[in-house]
Amino acid sequence: ITMASEAVAVLLLVFLSGSTFGIKLEGNGYTDVLIAINPVVPENPLLIKRIKDMVSDASSVLFTATEGKFYFEEITILVPPNWSQGDYGRTKTETYEKANIVINEENRAYGDQPYTLQYGQCGSESRYTHLTTKFMLDDELIKLYGPRGKVLVHEWAHLRWGVYDENDDGQPFYKGAHGGIQATRCSVELYGFSYGDSRRTFLEPFFLRVYAVFLNCIILSFDKLLFMYTLKVTRFCSKKTHNREAPNAQNRMCDNRDVMDVIFTSSVDAKANVQPLKGPHPAPRFTVMQRGQRVVCLVLDVSGSMHGSRILQQQQAASLFLTTIVEDNSYVGIVTFTNYATTLKPLTVIHREESRTQLVNYLPVEAIGGTDICKGLKKGFEELCKDNGNTMGDEIILLTDGESELDCVSEVKESGAIVNTIALGPSANKELKRMSEISGGKYFYASDNLDQTELVNVFASLTTTNGDFTHQTILLDSSGMKRKGILNGTVSVDHTVGNKTTFLVLHESQSPEDIEIKSPSGQIYDFIDFQPSSISKTHSLVIQGTAETGDWTYTIKNTLSDQSITITITSRAVSEAIPPVTVKAYMSQQSIDGSKPMLVYAEVNQKGVPVILADVMATLESDAGDQYQLELLDNGAGADAFRNDGIYSRFFTTSKKGRYNLKVKVQRKDKGKNNGQVRLKRHSVAPYVPGYVIKGKSPIVMNPPKPPFSEDDLQDDVGSFTRTAIGESFSVSLPPDLNAEIEEDKVMLTWTAPGEDMDQGTEVGFQVSPEGGD
């Protein structure tokens, strides 16, 4: 790409780079690295020790590989809430879903092989690294994948810096540019000889290729024992050693650039301009923590601007949260604020339906007065203190439609509580996003149009998880309209969900004339089967037992032309033994200034195994009412890094500033065998070592064969399903439409214009060269 075209590309309005996920680089040391253990893992003190040993070893490997520039400084280990034998500290804002590294049982896609869920562009951070309990505890796996510290550094390069594998299991060899068969490997300086045994003939470059993914590129010596594991690491691949002709993911995704170049010019750490540390690096410091029961306080705006439809909308959305979303055994309180703050309901434990109903009855129905957000927050903190004397690790859900001075930022930060903020309507304080960022919470913008279900969707997304999704409420679908007529549709209930399936109908002034829900077998649920609430103007139907698998249809008759009618369908996992299909929606950045592309992502999987061949539609709406719909694709082209990996992606371009919300709807219709099934596309993985040579001896000592992954084993047909996911809101601020730069005797003009930008349009730029004069 030319320098001129690079200047043009700066104005491309799209979405990239992953979020920081809490990791910080302070000087040369990484802090706030979160390692979380899944609750399916039995309590084992040895596992904690192995994690500490692995990170300590990895810190030295990382320090050497980056020529003294990086090491691990502070690590938090989050143990499951069901562990009881240790003296664990209490979490602040650390949660399982924020983990950078997860320790879990094996899954069907990867077995015990370490991997990183990586689907961003080159140089972008990845979602998380996955390690299994067996990998951490069974030393036999060191023979298969190498020392744990080196494996972690390999995965860290995927996770933090967005570099890709330089080996390729699908194409382990290639024909070199000057003839001869070459191993697909990192360094052009790796050579070897043929070895044979009674079973197979192997090439030593093949072994080098397997472990030299982008680490171990320069070999200094061999130790006495294992050939593969004692390669001496000096640095990552550099321009001098990088193999530009190898047909691997690093060359394809990073335009043939070497790893060191990506780290120091394109990654999240590039701008830090880190200099090598003088002297040895300090040892990592570890903190072991545990999250308790969820404790949350709703802090709700009841100022005069909330009067009318907004107070009703708040009541309906909060009712859904209290009756369906918040987890059993959680503690919930309700605070309201205007110019002052009031506690409507102290912390109440959720243990029966009666406690949920009681909380709903305390929701505010009137609005009058001014707005003081900080008084509401302070009152919320007071309530959160009443369970154990502090707010550490507790949670606030703040909703407001107005503006007021936010002079309590320091108190929010010092509280140790997570503050989720919801901006309702276009006038809500734009600094709410900052409140969420400093506290580790989420930020949402929702329009005040009742027919668009945005606020209800936000509250439906406010779940929390410890890694076990079988007890979490899942949003299947939501839709609405504002006109006289019929609202109808179909929602597919698959075999992974079906418990506590709820149909919630919301209206404004007058109840719908008729409601009909039809099950796949033809059973009809009509108006009299719904539980009405005249206060919150809702009608709810909970299907008893397990809902039938298949297509459910709904029909709602609205007799008023100016009334909004909506329906929201939720469900839970069919059992603890069957993990549900889940969807997560992300933007690649939460604040966009036009300097990087924007991408929309939807991650669809069943316990880590990708779900493919679904129809995925993203809807993005600004606070000015501009709406965009994008079909997200899993085709390995354009914004999508890999085909059939269950990650659906698309570039998003806009020329309009503002706050945007994100909704993703996933649907799939079962069309028979081998269509729309769970399949495997393996992400960035730790390389498997097929064998090794003991120095001075022959032949090769073979490792056990890598566990095979049959496509048939992975094709557990999920069938037809429907899911809806809400992503955090994001803000867009754009550079001027026209930019002019003087380059010697030329003027470089760049601007945005409709056309084929990334997935969708074109940027335009040209040079103006003055003739005969200045």
Side-chain angles (χ1 to χ4, degrees):
I1 186 171
T2 65
M3 290 300 292
S5 61
E6 285 178 354
V8 173
V10 167
L11 292 183
L12 184 62
L13 309 175
V14 217
F15 209 50
L16 180 68
S17 172
S19 65
T20 60
F21 291 86
I23 298 173
K24 294 183 179 66
L25 177 62
E26 298 183 358
N28 298 78
Y30 288 109
T31 64
D32 292 350
V33 179
L34 180 60
I35 301 176
I37 302 172
N38 192 280
V40 301
V41 175
E43 187 164 8
N44 188 345
L46 178 59
L47 179 58
I48 301 295
K49 181 180 184 303
R50 287 290 176 87
I51 292 173
K52 292 179 178 180
D53 291 345
M54 174 184 69
V55 175
S56 298
D57 292 345
S59 189
S60 297
V61 174
L62 181 65
F63 190 72
T64 301
T66 59
E67 300 173 341
K69 292 184 177 179
F70 302 116
Y71 62 91
F72 293 115
E73 185 170 345
E74 292 183 359
I75 309 293
T76 297
I77 302 172
L78 180 63
V79 303
N82 55 347
W83 284 26
S84 59
Q85 298 176 13
D87 184 18
Y88 308 121
R90 177 163 178 156
T91 59
K92 294 182 180 179
T93 62
E94 299 87 357
T95 63
Y96 186 91
E97 62 186 350
K98 297 176 185 176
N100 313 112
I101 300 167
V102 297
I103 312 293
N104 200 349
E105 62 183 6
E106 67 175 32
N107 63 42
R108 292 180 296 111
Y110 295 88
D112 289 305
Q113 188 171 22
Y115 70 90
T116 298
L117 185 60
Q118 180 179 18
Y119 50 80
Q121 304 294 289
C122 181
S124 299
E125 292 176 273
S126 301
R127 296 305 301 177
Y128 59 82
T129 291
H130 183 281
L131 306 174
T132 68
T133 312
K134 185 174 182 180
F135 172 79
M136 297 300 303
L137 298 176
D138 187 350
D139 289 345
E140 287 297 308
L141 268 65
I142 294 177
K143 297 178 181 179
L144 303 184
Y145 303 114
R148 297 184 186 96
K150 290 186 178 181
V151 170
L152 180 59
V153 172
H154 170 267
E155 298 306 318
W156 182 263
H158 292 309
L159 178 72
R160 180 66 177 177
W161 300 317
V163 297
Y164 283 82
D165 281 336
E166 300 214 51
N167 67 310
D168 192 314
D169 288 339
Q171 191 173 353
F173 301 99
Y174 68 97
K175 186 176 182 180
H178 301 290
I181 301 300
Q182 297 289 327
T184 304
R185 66 195 190 278
C186 164
S187 176
V188 294
E189 298 183 7
L190 297 179
Y191 300 97
F193 304 94
S194 298
Y195 285 88
D197 68 3
S198 59
R199 289 173 291 175
R200 300 177 63 178
T201 298
F202 284 86
L203 296 176
E204 187 174 344
F206 175 74
F207 298 121
L208 297 173
R209 186 264 313 170
V210 170
Y211 197 69
V213 179
F214 42 68
L215 189 60
N216 302 341
C217 296
I218 305 298
I219 303 175
L220 298 184
S221 66
F222 298 107
D223 278 352
K224 295 179 180 179
L225 298 176
L226 302 183
F227 163 76
M228 287 303 303
Y229 311 142
T230 56
L231 302 182
K232 300 299 186 180
V233 178
T234 59
R235 60 182 182 271
F236 288 104
C237 276
S238 64
K239 183 177 181 180
K240 178 181 177 182
T241 60
H242 180 59
N243 182 4
R244 293 173 56 88
E245 68 176 23
N248 54 36
Q250 173 67 16
N251 283 333
R252 178 173 66 87
M253 296 295 297
C254 298
D255 295 326
N256 299 96
R257 296 162 60 201
D258 61 88
V259 169
M260 293 290 271
D261 180 52
V262 173
I263 294 173
F264 293 109
T265 65
S266 301
S267 77
V268 67
D269 296 327
K271 294 182 180 179
N273 193 27
V274 174
Q275 300 302 311
L277 192 68
K278 295 180 180 179
H281 65 87
R285 299 190 299 274
F286 297 92
T287 303
V288 183
M289 309 186 82
Q290 186 177 48
R291 193 159 196 85
Q293 292 294 341
R294 189 180 190 185
V295 181
V296 58
C297 185
L298 302 182
V299 178
L300 307 176
D301 189 344
V302 291
S303 62
S305 59
M306 290 287 293
H307 180 73
S309 64
R310 288 182 179 176
I311 195 72
L312 175 62
Q313 201 174 356
Q314 175 177 261
Q315 184 187 24
Q316 291 174 335
S319 294
L320 172 70
F321 177 79
L322 294 172
T323 59
T324 307
I325 304 302
V326 68
E327 299 79 9
D328 291 337
N329 301 314
S330 299
Y331 288 82
V332 182
I334 302 173
V335 164
T336 60
F337 66 92
T338 56
N339 300 104
Y340 56 91
T342 303
T343 298
L344 295 189
K345 190 72 172 73
L347 290 178
T348 301
V349 64
I350 304 291
H351 58 82
R352 293 190 306 269
E353 291 302 318
E354 290 79 4
S355 58
R356 295 179 182 270
T357 302
Q358 185 184 51
L359 282 162
V360 169
N361 291 337
Y362 277 89
L363 289 171
V365 296
E366 296 181 351
I368 189 172
T371 305
D372 193 325
I373 295 172
C374 283
K375 284 188 177 177
L377 284 170
K378 292 174 183 178
K379 178 62 73 173
F381 291 147
E382 286 180 20
E383 291 305 316
L384 292 177
C385 283
K386 291 181 179 179
D387 65 327
N388 61 359
N390 64 66
T391 60
M392 201 76 69
D394 294 341
E395 184 181 350
I396 277 181
I397 298 175
L398 169 70
L399 185 152
T400 182
D401 71 339
E403 298 207 31
S404 71
E405 185 177 355
L406 295 179
D407 56 1
C408 53
V409 173
S410 60
E411 293 176 59
V412 170
K413 188 173 183 178
E414 293 168 3
S415 71
I418 299 169
V419 179
N420 301 300
T421 58
I422 305 170
L424 179 61
S427 300
N429 197 310
K430 292 179 172 57
E431 293 302 313
L432 293 174
K433 186 171 185 289
R434 175 66 178 154
M435 286 285 193
S436 294
E437 289 174 345
I438 64 174
S439 65
K442 296 178 180 179
Y443 166 73
F444 300 95
Y445 162 76
S447 79
D448 50 6
N449 297 324
L450 283 168
D451 59 310
Q452 295 183 9
T453 71
E454 291 178 10
L455 189 59
V456 169
N457 292 339
V458 167
F459 272 92
S461 72
L462 289 171
T463 58
T464 186
T465 181
N466 57 15
D468 179 5
F469 292 101
T470 61
H471 297 286
Q472 183 174 305
T473 299
I474 296 171
L475 179 60
L476 301 187
D477 196 10
S478 65
S479 62
M481 71 176 191
K482 188 173 185 177
R483 59 178 172 82
K484 183 178 180 180
I486 302 296
L487 173 64
N488 54 23
T490 301
V491 59
S492 300
V493 176
D494 58 280
H495 71 84
T496 71
V497 295
N499 281 346
K500 296 186 178 180
T501 302
T502 303
F503 293 81
L504 178 66
V505 177
L506 310 178
H507 63 91
E508 291 182 85
S509 56
Q510 182 175 305
S511 294
E513 182 175 299
D514 191 27
I515 306 174
E516 180 182 285
I517 307 296
K518 186 176 181 180
S519 75
S521 66
Q523 182 176 353
I524 301 295
Y525 300 86
D526 57 23
F527 197 86
I528 62 173
D529 295 308
F530 279 75
Q531 180 68 37
S533 170
S534 58
I535 298 176
S536 60
K537 295 181 172 57
T538 63
H539 294 265
S540 62
L541 169 68
V542 179
I543 305 300
Q544 297 302 308
T546 301
E548 293 178 44
T549 299
D551 289 345
W552 290 69
T553 61
Y554 57 84
T555 304
I556 307 169
K557 186 176 182 180
N558 184 19
T559 58
L560 299 180
S561 59
D562 61 346
Q563 173 174 253
S564 295
I565 294 286
T566 70
I567 184 169
T568 301
I569 304 105
T570 59
S571 190
R572 290 193 179 186
V574 68
S575 75
E576 293 185 359
I578 302 177
V581 172
T582 59
V583 177
K584 296 180 181 179
Y586 306 101
M587 297 300 290
S588 55
Q589 301 170 102
Q590 297 307 119
S591 298
I592 299 98
D593 60 6
S595 61
K596 288 185 177 181
M598 291 186 287
L599 281 88
V600 189
Y601 294 121
E603 176 189 335
V604 188
N605 71 69
Q606 184 188 19
K607 197 181 178 182
V609 180
V611 176
I612 68 168
L613 301 180
D615 296 320
V616 182
M617 186 65 66
T619 301
L620 304 98
E621 183 171 348
S622 74
D623 51 10
D626 302 301
Q627 190 175 99
Y628 306 82
Q629 287 198 326
L630 297 174
E631 182 183 5
L632 307 188
L633 304 175
D634 186 17
N635 60 0
D640 194 61
F642 298 103
R643 182 174 181 268
N644 286 351
D645 64 349
I647 310 298
Y648 299 77
S649 317
R650 197 70 179 264
F651 288 108
F652 170 58
T653 62
T654 181
S655 59
K656 297 183 179 181
K657 302 178 183 180
R659 294 176 291 188
Y660 286 75
N661 57 39
L662 169 64
K663 174 182 177 180
V664 169
K665 184 172 182 179
V666 182
Q667 292 180 295
R668 195 181 63 199
K669 296 299 180 184
D670 184 13
K671 299 178 182 178
K673 186 174 176 59
N674 297 323
N675 191 351
Q677 298 181 337
V678 177
R679 286 177 177 266
L680 171 65
K681 172 59 184 176
R682 295 159 64 81
H683 274 278
S684 306
V685 298
Y688 165 76
V689 182
Y692 54 91
V693 176
I694 299 176
K695 185 177 181 181
K697 296 185 178 181
S698 183
I700 294 172
V701 177
M702 299 301 300
N703 274 323
K706 183 179 178 180
F709 292 97
S710 167
E711 287 292 320
D712 292 334
D713 292 340
L714 293 167
Q715 291 180 354
D716 294 338
D717 193 358
V718 176
S720 299
F721 70 91
T722 305
R723 295 290 188 276
T724 299
I726 304 301
E728 283 192 64
S729 298
F730 61 98
S731 59
V732 176
S733 59
L734 304 176
D737 289 337
L738 178 65
N739 185 54
E741 294 183 9
I742 299 175
E743 299 179 359
E744 297 181 353
D745 62 340
K746 298 178 181 179
V747 178
M748 183 63 185
L749 301 179
T750 60
W751 66 91
T752 57
E756 299 213 289
D757 294 330
M758 295 291 194
D759 290 304
Q760 308 155 60
T762 25
E763 307 266 308
V764 179
F766 65 85
Q767 294 179 343
V768 179
S769 300
E771 294 184 5
D774 47 359

Short mmCIF file of all heavy atoms in Angstrom, two decimals, residues 158-186:
data_model
loop_
_atom_site.label_atom_id
_atom_site.label_comp_id
_atom_site.label_asym_id
_atom_site.label_seq_id
_atom_site.Cartn_x
_atom_site.Cartn_y
_atom_site.Cartn_z
N HIS A 158 -0.79 -14.52 20.75
CA HIS A 158 -2.10 -14.44 20.11
C HIS A 158 -3.01 -13.48 20.87
O HIS A 158 -3.66 -12.61 20.27
CB HIS A 158 -2.78 -15.82 20.11
CG HIS A 158 -2.15 -16.85 19.23
ND1 HIS A 158 -1.86 -16.62 17.92
CD2 HIS A 158 -1.78 -18.13 19.50
CE1 HIS A 158 -1.33 -17.72 17.40
NE2 HIS A 158 -1.27 -18.65 18.34
N LEU A 159 -3.06 -13.66 22.17
CA LEU A 159 -4.04 -12.96 23.01
C LEU A 159 -3.78 -11.46 23.05
O LEU A 159 -4.70 -10.66 22.85
CB LEU A 159 -3.98 -13.54 24.43
CG LEU A 159 -4.91 -12.90 25.46
CD1 LEU A 159 -6.35 -13.27 25.19
CD2 LEU A 159 -4.50 -13.34 26.88
N ARG A 160 -2.56 -11.07 23.31
CA ARG A 160 -2.24 -9.66 23.56
C ARG A 160 -1.89 -8.91 22.29
O ARG A 160 -2.31 -7.76 22.10
CB ARG A 160 -1.08 -9.57 24.55
CG ARG A 160 -0.64 -8.15 24.88
CD ARG A 160 -1.70 -7.39 25.64
NE ARG A 160 -1.24 -6.05 26.03
CZ ARG A 160 -2.00 -5.16 26.66
NH1 ARG A 160 -3.24 -5.46 26.99
NH2 ARG A 160 -1.53 -3.97 26.96
N TRP A 161 -1.14 -9.54 21.40
CA TRP A 161 -0.57 -8.80 20.27
C TRP A 161 -1.24 -9.10 18.93
O TRP A 161 -0.94 -8.43 17.94
CB TRP A 161 0.93 -9.07 20.17
CG TRP A 161 1.68 -8.66 21.40
CD1 TRP A 161 1.51 -7.52 22.13
CD2 TRP A 161 2.72 -9.39 22.04
NE1 TRP A 161 2.39 -7.48 23.18
CE2 TRP A 161 3.15 -8.63 23.15
CE3 TRP A 161 3.35 -10.61 21.80
CZ2 TRP A 161 4.17 -9.04 24.00
CZ3 TRP A 161 4.36 -11.02 22.64
CH2 TRP A 161 4.77 -10.24 23.73
N GLY A 162 -2.10 -10.08 18.89
CA GLY A 162 -2.83 -10.34 17.66
C GLY A 162 -1.98 -10.88 16.52
O GLY A 162 -2.24 -10.59 15.36
N VAL A 163 -0.94 -11.66 16.85
CA VAL A 163 -0.18 -12.33 15.80
C VAL A 163 -0.77 -13.73 15.60
O VAL A 163 -1.51 -14.23 16.45
CB VAL A 163 1.32 -12.42 16.15
CG1 VAL A 163 1.91 -11.03 16.26
CG2 VAL A 163 1.56 -13.20 17.42
N TYR A 164 -0.44 -14.33 14.50
CA TYR A 164 -1.08 -15.60 14.12
C TYR A 164 -0.05 -16.71 13.98
O TYR A 164 1.16 -16.47 13.92
CB TYR A 164 -1.86 -15.42 12.82
CG TYR A 164 -3.17 -14.70 13.03
CD1 TYR A 164 -3.22 -13.32 13.11
CD2 TYR A 164 -4.35 -15.42 13.19
CE1 TYR A 164 -4.43 -12.65 13.33
CE2 TYR A 164 -5.55 -14.77 13.41
CZ TYR A 164 -5.58 -13.39 13.48
OH TYR A 164 -6.78 -12.75 13.72
N ASP A 165 -0.53 -17.95 13.92
CA ASP A 165 0.34 -19.11 13.84
C ASP A 165 1.17 -19.10 12.56
O ASP A 165 0.68 -18.72 11.49
CB ASP A 165 -0.48 -20.40 13.88
CG ASP A 165 -0.91 -20.76 15.29
OD1 ASP A 165 -0.23 -20.32 16.24
OD2 ASP A 165 -1.92 -21.47 15.44
N GLU A 166 2.41 -19.58 12.70
CA GLU A 166 3.28 -19.67 11.53
C GLU A 166 3.47 -21.12 11.09
O GLU A 166 4.17 -21.38 10.13
CB GLU A 166 4.63 -19.02 11.83
CG GLU A 166 4.47 -17.55 12.19
CD GLU A 166 5.62 -16.70 11.71
OE1 GLU A 166 5.99 -16.78 10.54
OE2 GLU A 166 6.15 -15.96 12.53
N ASN A 167 2.84 -22.04 11.81
CA ASN A 167 2.72 -23.40 11.30
C ASN A 167 1.33 -23.56 10.71
O ASN A 167 0.48 -22.69 10.87
CB ASN A 167 2.95 -24.43 12.41
CG ASN A 167 1.85 -24.38 13.44
OD1 ASN A 167 1.50 -23.31 13.96
ND2 ASN A 167 1.27 -25.53 13.77
N ASP A 168 1.09 -24.64 10.01
CA ASP A 168 -0.22 -24.87 9.43
C ASP A 168 -0.45 -26.37 9.31
O ASP A 168 0.17 -27.03 8.48
CB ASP A 168 -0.31 -24.20 8.06
CG ASP A 168 -1.74 -24.15 7.53
OD1 ASP A 168 -2.44 -25.18 7.61
OD2 ASP A 168 -2.16 -23.08 7.05
N ASP A 169 -1.35 -26.89 10.17
CA ASP A 169 -1.63 -28.32 10.13
C ASP A 169 -2.24 -28.75 8.81
O ASP A 169 -2.07 -29.87 8.35
CB ASP A 169 -2.57 -28.72 11.27
CG ASP A 169 -1.88 -28.68 12.62
OD1 ASP A 169 -0.63 -28.73 12.64
OD2 ASP A 169 -2.56 -28.58 13.65
N GLY A 170 -2.97 -27.83 8.17
CA GLY A 170 -3.59 -28.17 6.90
C GLY A 170 -2.62 -28.21 5.74
O GLY A 170 -2.84 -28.90 4.75
N GLN A 171 -1.51 -27.47 5.86
CA GLN A 171 -0.48 -27.47 4.82
C GLN A 171 0.88 -27.45 5.50
O GLN A 171 1.56 -26.43 5.55
CB GLN A 171 -0.65 -26.24 3.91
CG GLN A 171 0.22 -26.31 2.66
CD GLN A 171 -0.07 -25.17 1.68
OE1 GLN A 171 -1.02 -24.41 1.87
NE2 GLN A 171 0.74 -25.05 0.65
N PRO A 172 1.32 -28.60 6.01
CA PRO A 172 2.57 -28.65 6.76
C PRO A 172 3.81 -28.46 5.90
O PRO A 172 4.87 -28.13 6.41
CB PRO A 172 2.55 -30.04 7.39
CG PRO A 172 1.67 -30.85 6.50
CD PRO A 172 0.64 -29.91 5.99
N PHE A 173 3.69 -28.66 4.57
CA PHE A 173 4.82 -28.49 3.67
C PHE A 173 4.38 -27.67 2.46
O PHE A 173 3.20 -27.58 2.14
CB PHE A 173 5.36 -29.84 3.21
CG PHE A 173 5.83 -30.71 4.34
CD1 PHE A 173 5.03 -31.72 4.84
CD2 PHE A 173 7.09 -30.53 4.89
CE1 PHE A 173 5.45 -32.53 5.89
CE2 PHE A 173 7.52 -31.33 5.94
CZ PHE A 173 6.71 -32.34 6.43
N TYR A 174 5.36 -27.07 1.79
CA TYR A 174 5.08 -26.32 0.58
C TYR A 174 6.32 -26.36 -0.30
O TYR A 174 7.43 -26.65 0.16
CB TYR A 174 4.68 -24.88 0.90
CG TYR A 174 5.81 -24.05 1.48
CD1 TYR A 174 6.56 -23.20 0.66
CD2 TYR A 174 6.13 -24.10 2.84
CE1 TYR A 174 7.60 -22.45 1.18
CE2 TYR A 174 7.17 -23.35 3.37
CZ TYR A 174 7.89 -22.51 2.53
OH TYR A 174 8.93 -21.77 3.04
N LYS A 175 6.11 -26.05 -1.57
CA LYS A 175 7.23 -25.98 -2.50
C LYS A 175 7.84 -24.60 -2.44
O LYS A 175 7.18 -23.59 -2.68
CB LYS A 175 6.76 -26.29 -3.92
CG LYS A 175 7.91 -26.38 -4.92
CD LYS A 175 7.40 -26.79 -6.30
CE LYS A 175 8.58 -26.91 -7.27
NZ LYS A 175 8.11 -27.32 -8.62
N GLY A 176 9.12 -24.54 -2.08
CA GLY A 176 9.80 -23.27 -1.92
C GLY A 176 9.97 -22.52 -3.23
O GLY A 176 9.89 -23.09 -4.33
N ALA A 177 10.24 -21.23 -3.10
CA ALA A 177 10.38 -20.38 -4.28
C ALA A 177 11.54 -20.82 -5.16
O ALA A 177 11.53 -20.63 -6.38
CB ALA A 177 10.57 -18.93 -3.86
N HIS A 178 12.56 -21.43 -4.57
CA HIS A 178 13.74 -21.87 -5.33
C HIS A 178 13.76 -23.39 -5.47
O HIS A 178 14.82 -23.99 -5.68
CB HIS A 178 15.01 -21.39 -4.64
CG HIS A 178 15.08 -19.90 -4.50
ND1 HIS A 178 15.26 -19.07 -5.57
CD2 HIS A 178 14.96 -19.11 -3.40
CE1 HIS A 178 15.26 -17.80 -5.14
NE2 HIS A 178 15.08 -17.82 -3.82
N GLY A 179 12.57 -24.00 -5.38
CA GLY A 179 12.49 -25.44 -5.52
C GLY A 179 12.68 -26.16 -4.20
O GLY A 179 13.14 -25.59 -3.21
N GLY A 180 12.33 -27.41 -4.17
CA GLY A 180 12.48 -28.20 -2.95
C GLY A 180 11.28 -28.08 -2.04
O GLY A 180 10.55 -27.09 -2.08
N ILE A 181 11.07 -29.10 -1.23
CA ILE A 181 9.96 -29.12 -0.30
C ILE A 181 10.40 -28.49 1.01
O ILE A 181 11.42 -28.88 1.59
CB ILE A 181 9.48 -30.56 -0.05
CG1 ILE A 181 9.06 -31.19 -1.37
CG2 ILE A 181 8.32 -30.57 0.94
CD1 ILE A 181 7.93 -30.47 -2.09
N GLN A 182 9.63 -27.53 1.48
CA GLN A 182 9.93 -26.82 2.72
C GLN A 182 8.85 -27.08 3.75
O GLN A 182 7.68 -27.25 3.41
CB GLN A 182 10.01 -25.31 2.45
CG GLN A 182 11.11 -24.89 1.50
CD GLN A 182 12.49 -25.04 2.12
OE1 GLN A 182 12.67 -24.86 3.32
NE2 GLN A 182 13.47 -25.39 1.29
N ALA A 183 9.26 -27.12 5.03
CA ALA A 183 8.28 -27.20 6.11
C ALA A 183 7.69 -25.82 6.34
O ALA A 183 8.40 -24.81 6.31
CB ALA A 183 8.94 -27.70 7.39
N THR A 184 6.39 -25.77 6.57
CA THR A 184 5.73 -24.50 6.90
C THR A 184 6.16 -24.13 8.31
O THR A 184 5.70 -24.71 9.29
CB THR A 184 4.20 -24.64 6.82
OG1 THR A 184 3.86 -25.11 5.51
CG2 THR A 184 3.51 -23.31 7.07
N ARG A 185 7.04 -23.15 8.41
CA ARG A 185 7.68 -22.86 9.69
C ARG A 185 7.95 -21.38 9.82
O ARG A 185 7.82 -20.60 8.86
CB ARG A 185 8.99 -23.63 9.81
CG ARG A 185 10.06 -23.20 8.81
CD ARG A 185 11.17 -24.22 8.72
NE ARG A 185 12.33 -23.75 7.96
CZ ARG A 185 12.42 -23.77 6.65
NH1 ARG A 185 11.39 -24.23 5.92
NH2 ARG A 185 13.50 -23.34 6.04
N CYS A 186 8.38 -21.01 11.01
CA CYS A 186 8.63 -19.61 11.31
C CYS A 186 9.92 -19.12 10.67
O CYS A 186 9.91 -18.19 9.89
CB CYS A 186 8.70 -19.43 12.83
SG CYS A 186 9.42 -17.89 13.37
#
